Amino acid sequence: MSKPLLRFAPSPNGRLHLGHALSALVTWTAAKTWGGTALLRIEDIDINRCKPEFTDAIVEDLHWLGLFWPEPVMIQSERFEVYAEAANRLRQRDLIYPCFCTRAEIAAHADATDPDGAPIYPGTCKHLSNAERIERFERGDPVQFRLHTDLAIEEAGMLTYTVIGPTLTDRPQIRYARPQRWGDVVLQRKDIGTSYHLSVVVDDAAQGITHITRGRDMEAATDIHVLLQMLLGYATPIYYFHRLLLDDDGQKLSKSKNSQTLADLRSEGWTADDVKRAVGF
């Protein structure tokens, strides 16, 4: 039996903060606990926001924490053709369809929200005729491609996955996936031709990832990933969902809220051990 293989996959759109430190330390601790190896992957598909200097900073921060990984590191921005090929496999089975709706149009017509609180796509473009789609393509309307979730679930059947927790040494448990609560998610964005959901599933399979550690805020998204794994013929990893670090307002630490970075803490005299103690290691 092969040894467990895990990954820490940050996006280089800013400096790492304490929440990222917790995620990284959980990943490397899990790899050690389970007798496996942790990889670093750079998830930079959002080419408009991700910058090489942030990739360099991620490596610097992780090394400062005492974390190391095998080389080479997978870089997602080098793999757009691979994601397009995976999407085409689904397109050939009529499992994805073009969507020309704007965010404002979706918000105006949605009658439910997904687990993240965003409007669930009401399926407007799912019902366009071929002639209408061709007309929109020829007109050059911006287009994204969505998963036809109902058809995908019908093809995949009942979906389950294995979860370890709440501690790393707990017995695995079986959980049922419920991708229908997400509606028809975007698999190919208008601007970059892929999405987080598609690229992360493709890359986990390509790297042979057997165990995935992620924050509890990503627990619900696993439903979509398990569905895509089944549709694309990939093995489903074992999952572990870790706690989140919250700010004084009870909100998750994030780059968008300018949460204090590891670089800031280092400049204030914090050591790597100080960071580990602050996040519970």
Side-chain angles (χ1 to χ4, degrees):
M1 184 175 180
S2 60
K3 292 184 178 181
L5 190 61
L6 297 85
R7 83 312 194 263
F8 176 62
S11 295
N13 53 14
R15 296 296 299 248
L16 299 185
H17 52 62
L18 284 174
H20 297 117
L22 171 62
S23 293
L25 289 166
V26 166
T27 301
W28 266 265
T29 300
K32 182 178 180 180
T33 300
W34 298 331
T37 301
L39 305 178
L40 174 66
R41 181 166 74 218
I42 300 299
E43 297 196 339
D44 60 345
I45 56 172
D46 193 344
I47 56 178
N48 296 316
R49 297 176 59 210
C50 295
K51 302 181 184 301
E53 55 265 35
F54 290 139
T55 297
D56 294 339
I58 287 170
V59 171
E60 177 186 357
D61 287 339
L62 294 178
H63 282 170
W64 178 67
L65 288 173
L67 305 177
F68 298 87
W69 49 87
E71 298 285 351
V73 171
M74 178 176 281
I75 308 294
Q76 283 193 333
S77 60
E78 299 173 354
R79 295 174 51 78
F80 285 110
E81 291 183 2
V82 180
Y83 309 139
E85 189 277 333
N88 285 335
R89 289 169 56 193
L90 300 175
R91 183 176 290 106
Q92 291 167 3
R93 287 142 61 192
D94 294 323
L95 293 177
I96 63 175
Y97 63 90
C99 171
F100 304 92
C101 296
T102 65
R103 290 185 178 181
E105 291 170 337
I106 295 170
H109 295 95
D111 56 9
T113 57
D114 65 24
D116 284 342
I120 290 181
Y121 183 63
T124 308
C125 291
K126 184 159 51 180
H127 307 295
L128 293 177
S129 66
N130 285 335
E132 289 173 312
R133 289 176 178 175
I134 291 172
E135 180 183 354
R136 300 291 295 268
F137 278 122
E138 291 180 343
R139 198 162 64 200
D141 291 353
V143 61
Q144 56 195 350
F145 289 85
R146 293 181 177 273
L147 178 67
H148 198 314
T149 303
D150 288 343
L151 287 182
I153 292 173
E154 183 178 337
E155 179 176 320
M158 183 180 296
L159 297 168
T160 63
Y161 60 101
T162 302
V163 178
I164 295 174
T167 72
L168 294 172
T169 56
D170 284 334
R171 293 186 59 152
Q173 297 182 348
I174 300 300
R175 183 175 297 181
Y176 291 95
R178 295 183 291 148
Q180 62 272 14
R181 57 182 173 158
W182 287 96
D184 293 353
V185 297
V186 172
L187 294 189
Q188 290 184 290
R189 285 168 41 178
K190 296 176 182 178
D191 52 349
I192 58 176
T194 189
S195 67
Y196 166 74
H197 294 306
L198 181 62
S199 59
V200 73
V201 166
V202 169
D203 288 344
D204 284 338
Q207 292 189 290
I209 300 300
T210 63
H211 294 65
I212 292 175
T213 61
R214 56 175 40 154
R216 290 174 185 160
D217 58 325
M218 291 298 300
E219 193 166 349
T222 305
D223 293 340
I224 293 296
H225 300 171
V226 172
L227 175 58
L228 290 175
Q229 288 155 4
M230 178 65 71
L231 296 174
L232 292 168
Y234 301 151
T236 294
I238 295 171
Y239 289 87
Y240 173 81
F241 303 109
H242 65 75
R243 61 188 172 85
L244 302 176
L245 289 185
L246 306 179
D247 61 21
D248 293 338
D249 297 324
Q251 300 297 311
K252 183 187 72 168
L253 300 183
S254 69
K255 298 170 186 174
S256 62
K257 295 180 181 178
N258 295 316
S259 296
Q260 194 171 31
T261 69
L262 299 184
D264 293 335
L265 297 174
R266 192 157 61 243
S267 69
E268 293 176 6
W270 282 48
T271 66
D273 286 339
D274 292 330
V275 169
K276 292 175 183 178
R277 282 191 291 270
V279 301
F281 276 84

